[in-house]
Amino acid sequence: MEMNFQSLFVAALITLLVGFIWYHPKVFGTVWMKEAGLTEEQLKTGNMLKIFGLTYLFSLFIASIEMTLTIHQIGAMGMVGGPAKVNEALPSFTAFMADYGTAFRTYKHGALHGLMSGLFFAFPMIGINGLFERKSWRYILIHSGYWIVTLTIMGAIICGWV
């Protein structure tokens, strides 16, 4: 199975790119600031290099997990004795990969699983936090929408870019 680790680094950039658009004042930025109780002056304070650097690092973590959610062959490797080294693979692994090594490795399939991880993982977590923090549904939906879109694009890149 071919793994394109460059896709992880590119997918991690998606959080920043989509965030730049999503939280722009002409899209959801103004509403988000109001719902979060933040002002433009508050947002200008802080170490932006640290914020963007850590965001990219955390996004690499997310991209790594998205890889396991979108590329089914990763799970199959463990089931059929996938290789620590290629020449140590069991015959069943070699046969499996010959038949199914590129199955479901499309942008569309990755986008589907990215969408599912956004809807069924990110949205509930943001919703739970928002409820306990007494945030509005607008706040919850803005953040959840961001992650649903972002994870959909990340999943497409990771799974489809072989």
Side-chain angles (χ1 to χ4, degrees):
M1 175 179 72
E2 285 189 39
M3 297 297 301
N4 183 347
F5 288 100
Q6 292 175 350
S7 69
L8 297 179
F9 293 103
V10 171
L13 289 172
I14 296 302
T15 59
L16 296 165
L17 180 63
V18 173
F20 177 76
I21 297 166
W22 196 266
Y23 293 102
H24 189 276
K26 292 186 178 180
V27 183
F28 294 110
T30 305
V31 177
W32 165 72
M33 284 191 304
K34 179 180 176 271
E35 295 300 318
L38 295 169
T39 65
E40 285 189 44
E41 292 76 33
Q42 288 173 309
L43 292 177
K44 290 179 183 175
T45 64
N47 182 338
M48 297 312 285
L49 181 62
K50 176 180 158 185
I51 291 168
F52 286 115
L54 287 173
T55 296
Y56 185 72
L57 176 66
F58 296 151
S59 298
L60 284 171
F61 296 166
I62 294 168
S64 298
I65 291 301
E66 277 296 301
M67 183 172 63
T68 65
L69 296 173
T70 60
I71 301 174
H72 300 302
Q73 289 82 352
I74 291 172
M77 286 171 144
M79 295 296 295
V80 296
K85 295 179 184 169
V86 175
N87 59 355
E88 294 177 4
L90 296 174
S92 58
F93 175 76
T94 305
F96 177 85
M97 292 309 288
D99 289 342
Y100 304 106
T102 58
F104 299 107
R105 292 295 307 274
T106 65
Y107 292 102
K108 182 179 174 182
H109 187 79
L112 172 66
H113 283 280
L115 175 71
M116 289 170 50
S117 63
L119 283 173
F120 298 110
F121 193 69
F123 172 55
M125 287 193 312
I126 293 165
I128 290 167
N129 284 350
L131 291 170
F132 278 96
E133 293 173 4
R134 309 306 193 261
K135 298 293 186 184
S136 69
W137 276 104
R138 288 172 76 178
Y139 176 91
I140 292 168
L141 292 173
I142 288 169
H143 282 311
S144 297
Y146 162 77
W147 281 110
I148 290 167
V149 169
T150 299
L151 291 170
T152 300
I153 296 169
M154 287 176 79
I157 290 169
I158 292 165
C159 187
W161 187 6
V162 179

